[in-house]
Amino acid sequence: MPNLPALVLVHAFPFGPAMWRRQMTAFPGWHVVAPPLPGFDEHPRLDDPTMDNYARDLLGTLDKMGVERAVFCGLSMGGYTIFGVLRQAPERVLGLILADTRTSIDSPERRAARERSIALARTAGPAAIAEEMIPNILGETTRRRRPEVVEEVRSIITSQPGETIADGLLAMMNRPDSAAVLDHITVPTMIVVGDEDTVTPPSDAEFMHRRVQGSTLVNIPATGHMANLESPDAFDDAVRSFLRRIV
Ligand code: MLT
């Protein structure tokens, strides 16, 4: 579909492209792609997993797909990856959707928790990681009222290999601060956050919104960190109205 504008959906940790299942068909008139990051869905792992290497790998995948320029939409680790794309190849970015993500680095406590999770991923595997993560990444409302979303999240997480999960944790815990990247963004930008997101809370979204000139901020009610899975209708509506501003 070379004549349609491209929308690249970049997945969160430790999800893989399956988290974008609904969004793949939600934006008629757009060539929507959701490439796997290293190690996910049998995409080769990297010897040196860093967020900038994930970004390089993503750009290589897009080259192979013939996607030169695109609107990039990343959720959480997908956003961390897009900050790497903005450092390496800003000319490929037509517009930005930064969902449930942040530019700051991990606190010492968060780094220590990552180390424990790396050991857990290697010894106990993805099911243990899913148990650990679900209470944090899904909003209170979703956990109480949307059991089917809880099950979907568990099934996507447990389909990924433990080594891929360990790599992702390592890449995230060593990621650089990306706040300075925000000052150079000149393309249309929308920032999205679930109001019950405790991993990358609304204060992180407000920080990015203040720092990216002309950006818009969309707050999705009764929704946690996984906005596109927890409230797909509101998420897709926000993306559709943003995309209308681009073409
Ligand atoms: C994600 O959702 O991609 C991760 O949970 C983000 C993080 O742990 O920093």
Side-chain angles (χ1 to χ4, degrees), residues 11-15 75-78 80 100 102 106 110 114 133 137 169 172 175 199-200 225-226:
H11 64 81
F13 168 87
F15 281 83
L75 192 139
S76 197
M77 183 178 76
Y80 307 162
D100 299 288
R102 64 180 158 187
D106 279 358
R110 187 87 187 102
R114 300 263 198 219
M133 287 188 73
I137 57 175
L169 288 161
M172 290 193 295
R175 72 187 186 281
V199 180
T200 53
H225 184 59
M226 301 305 301

Side-chain angles (χ1 to χ4, degrees), residues 108-120:
E109 296 73 34
R110 187 87 187 102
R111 285 177 65 87
R114 300 263 198 219
E115 296 275 18
R116 290 194 295 276
S117 299
I118 289 171
L120 189 68

Side-chain angles (χ1 to χ4, degrees), residues 22 69 112 120 145 171 185:
R22 286 184 197 80
R69 301 185 74 205
L120 189 68
R145 299 207 202 131
I185 295 175

Side-chain angles (χ1 to χ4, degrees), residues 28-93:
W30 286 79
H31 174 37
V32 183
V33 297
L37 292 172
F40 290 88
D41 284 14
E42 297 178 14
H43 191 66
R45 288 170 64 203
L46 297 177
D47 293 337
D48 182 16
T50 65
M51 289 321 317
D52 278 322
N53 285 342
Y54 278 26
R56 196 164 293 113
D57 183 90
L58 172 65
L59 289 167
T61 306
L62 295 175
D63 289 342
K64 288 190 194 125
M65 290 173 150
V67 174
E68 202 178 317
R69 301 185 74 205
V71 172
F72 284 74
C73 167
L75 192 139
S76 197
M77 183 178 76
Y80 307 162
T81 305
I82 290 174
F83 296 137
V85 169
L86 289 166
R87 275 188 284 272
Q88 294 168 36
E91 71 286 355
R92 296 183 70 161
V93 181

Side-chain angles (χ1 to χ4, degrees), residues 17 19 26 30 41 44 46 54 65 73 75 80 94 115 129 133 140 146 150 174 192 196 204 206 210 215 223 227 233:
M19 66 170 270
W30 286 79
D41 284 14
L46 297 177
Y54 278 26
M65 290 173 150
C73 167
L75 192 139
Y80 307 162
L94 285 172
E115 296 275 18
I129 294 290
M133 287 188 73
E140 199 205 320
R146 303 172 193 132
V150 180
N174 292 323
V192 180
E196 295 178 8
D204 286 324
E206 284 151 19
R210 278 195 303 274
S215 62
T223 300
D233 291 344

